[in-house]
Amino acid sequence: MWKVIMFAKLVDVLFGCRHARFSFPVTIRGAKARRLEAAALTGTYVVCLDCGREFPYDWQGMTIITSPERHRERLAQLAKHVA
């Protein structure tokens, strides 16, 4: 059983989720927002309807966040422009 799980994780790392069907964005408020890994970055996430994986979602850009590092860099640049 663990071999199947490890193989699935390896395939996910190599290829990522190729699915294009996602749920409507879900925003979690309060203490629950920090429990989900996908919601920890923005407080909002979407779920792949084929594989069930959760992805952070950016309401401002209306996009799925695939790279948290690039998202943080973008927010820092936006903060410089506002200030």
Side-chain angles (χ1 to χ4, degrees):
M1 179 69 174
W2 66 272
K3 291 181 182 180
V4 173
I5 294 171
M6 293 301 292
F7 180 73
K9 286 186 179 187
L10 178 63
V11 169
D12 188 40
V13 167
L14 294 176
F15 302 108
C17 182
R18 298 274 184 199
H19 307 293
R21 299 181 331 126
F22 295 97
S23 69
F24 190 78
V26 177
T27 301
I28 298 183
R29 303 191 190 281
K32 291 182 181 179
R34 300 297 175 207
R35 289 189 202 160
L36 292 173
E37 184 178 334
L41 188 60
T42 63
T44 303
Y45 69 99
V46 294
V47 178
C48 175
L49 297 176
D50 293 320
C51 71
R53 187 171 171 195
E54 297 172 345
F55 298 93
Y57 187 79
D58 178 15
W59 268 114
Q60 299 296 325
M62 299 188 91
T63 59
I64 297 170
I65 299 170
T66 55
S67 174
E69 294 80 21
R70 289 180 64 197
H71 181 71
R72 287 186 188 104
E73 290 172 8
R74 182 173 159 258
L75 289 178
Q77 289 175 350
L78 289 173
K80 288 179 185 177
H81 290 291
V82 171

